[in-house]
Structure formats: structure tokens, C-alpha cells
Amino acid sequence: MAPRSAAEVEQALARLQRQRPLDEAGLVFYALGAQLVAVDVEIVVAEKALVPRRVGHRPASLRRRPLCVYWVVSRPGPRRTVRRVAVLASGGLDSGVLIADIAGEAKVFPIYVEAGLAWEDGEKYALRVFLDALNDTNVQPLTSLELPLRRLYGEHWSTTGEGVPDYGAPDSAVYLPGRNVLLIGVTAVWCALHDIGMIAIGSLDANPFPDATPSFLEGYGRLLSRALAHEIEVVAPYGRLQKSDLIARFAALPLHLTLTCMAPREGKHCGACNKCRERQEAFRHAGVEDRTQYA
């Protein structure tokens, strides 16, 4: 098929958009690693969907029906960013890796939700330092939203900083009821106002809490979509991975700049809480030097 004019390409894209949302077509264009120069509007059904290589999650909208592939004639060219993803960022290792990972395929909007919890000053500082070190043009400036939880949680260790679950405490001890419900919800409102259709969170396989399960995230995305009249998908790309897997795969990132601690001291990890234990064990299991600064 001979290359077509720019006007013909625009007309073809308009027809594609009427037949199927353009962002899904865009996934195919990027997966082909191509600079689009011509489009054949004949549609064929792929045996399996082509999705961003490093996001690692097939969105629900693509699971519900086969993805149509639009044949293109292309030539090698610069990478094209075809998606916009909001990443719920905490300053921790998991969400930090997620930002860097998705930025390889899409434009990333890091979102930090200030809830009034005891460790937030340390988290926000670590997140800004990590993003500066990342220095990726696909990562947009940090957006901070406010959702005060002090009155809701009351005199709780998460708001007072007293009695934080210690090194030997079980993971169940760090549960904050409804935290994902609230943080994802306020982020979804922001996404609806800024025309972003996906929220990614850094939950791992070891997360035992009910508001981090795949069924909850998929159902919550559908609920938010109806409530906001804006299509929202909530994904956890690392839902089948351990923290040690992330450390091993992304050891080249400045992981030591992230903060995974519930009682940071002057910008350093306390080394004595449940989260510090989790971090230290993950580095050991990954066989990667832990350059984290502990108090």
C-alpha cells in the first residue's frame, strides 16, 4: 500500500475513532514502534491484544472484547507517547518504580494525596528528590491533592506517629481502613477533570488488604466511571510481583532515594518499623545492595 497524504491519514484516523476509541488504536500504533504515515481502515481481529510492553496489565476494556488491529504502513521514527496515566505516588519504592516504568511508554502524572498522616513530610520530600533524579520528560510535574483523614482516623498511630507497628509486627497491623478507596476516589475526580482515563497504583502480590485486590480495583473503576461519567480504569501492574522482584529488575534506578517508612527521622528510614523490615528483606532477597540511609 502506497503512503497516503496527511489529509488522507487524518480522515482515516477520524473513521477509526468513530469505530473504536482512539486510545486503543494508539496502543497498537505504539506497540508496533512506528511513526504513522498511512492507515488502511480495514479491520482485522487480533488473536491477542497488543498493550504497552512495560505496563504489564491488560486494561479491563481490552479484556472484555478482542482488540482490533488497524494495519499501518510505517517507517522507523521517534517514540510516540500515546497514553496519559495518573500514578498514585507515595514516595515509596513501589510507586517510584511504577512511575519510571510507565514513563517508558506513556505520559505519567504523579499524584500525591495529602491526608495528614504522620510520615507525609518525609514522603513528599523523598518523592520530589526521586522525581528530580529520574529527570524523565514523560513524567509531568507532581500534583498534590488534599484529603484530610485526621478526624476520620482520630488518635491513631498513623496520625500521631506514636505506637507505629514495629519491626516484628505482622502486615495486618499496618492496615488503614478504606485508604485505597479514598485515595483512588479523589484521584479519579482529578482524572475526570483532566481527561485522564487510567489510574495506576503500586500494590504488590503481598498486599493482603481488601481494597487492593484485582476484583476490587476493577469494580471500583467501573463504579467511578459511572459516577463521574468518565471512563476510568484502576490498575495494579505489579499485582503478581514481590518487592524483591522490583528491586532486582530496576536496580539501576535511584531506589535509595525512595522512602518506605512509617516513622522517618530527619529524612532517613527509622530502621525499626514494619515497613523498614519489609524493605530490608526485599533488598536481601533480590541480592541487591541496600543503599538506603537508616537512622
Side-chain angles (χ1 to χ4, degrees), residues 30 37 107 125 138 147 205 216 239 256:
Y30 184 72
V37 294
K107 185 173 290 187
Y125 177 78
N138 264 359
L147 184 67
D205 184 55
F216 167 78
H256 63 289

Side-chain angles (χ1 to χ4, degrees), residues 8-210:
E8 289 176 314
V9 169
E10 289 183 3
Q11 292 173 1
L13 285 174
R15 288 195 295 273
L16 291 180
Q17 189 169 15
R18 288 195 296 270
Q19 296 175 49
R20 186 171 296 272
L22 187 57
D23 63 341
E24 294 185 14
L27 293 180
V28 178
F29 297 155
Y30 184 72
L32 294 174
Q35 178 179 348
L36 182 65
V37 294
V39 176
D40 182 347
V41 296
E42 181 180 358
I43 298 174
V44 297
V45 177
E47 292 182 359
K48 58 182 179 179
L50 296 173
V51 298
R53 174 173 52 84
R54 295 169 65 188
V55 172
H57 178 89
R58 186 178 176 186
S61 64
L62 301 189
R63 291 199 300 271
R64 289 195 292 269
R65 59 184 183 275
L67 178 66
C68 291
V69 177
Y70 306 100
W71 291 99
V72 301
V73 174
S74 60
R75 63 175 182 269
R79 185 178 71 188
R80 301 181 65 205
T81 298
V82 296
R83 305 190 68 202
R84 290 151 50 89
V85 181
V87 174
L88 199 51
S90 67
L93 188 149
D94 310 334
S95 62
V97 167
L98 185 60
I99 290 170
D101 193 7
I102 295 181
E105 310 287 357
K107 185 173 290 187
V108 176
F109 295 79
I111 307 292
Y112 186 90
V113 180
E114 299 182 27
L117 303 183
W119 51 81
E120 288 183 359
D121 287 344
E123 279 190 340
K124 288 184 289 186
Y125 177 78
L127 179 55
R128 291 190 181 97
V129 170
F130 179 81
L131 293 178
D132 286 345
L134 205 57
N135 193 29
D136 191 315
T137 56
N138 264 359
V139 179
Q140 303 306 293
L142 177 65
T143 294
S144 292
L145 306 176
E146 294 183 4
L147 184 67
L149 296 180
R150 283 182 175 270
R151 289 189 178 182
L152 182 62
Y153 286 162
E155 293 297 309
H156 187 264
W157 59 263
S158 64
T159 59
T160 65
E162 299 176 2
V164 169
D166 62 20
Y167 202 85
D171 289 344
S172 58
V174 305
Y175 179 52
L176 298 179
R179 190 182 184 202
N180 274 352
V181 175
L182 297 167
L183 301 191
I184 294 171
V186 72
T187 301
V189 174
W190 184 89
C191 287
L193 294 173
H194 293 82
D195 195 27
I196 293 173
M198 180 173 286
I199 300 170
I201 66 173
S203 291
L204 302 175
D205 184 55
N207 190 317
F209 306 132

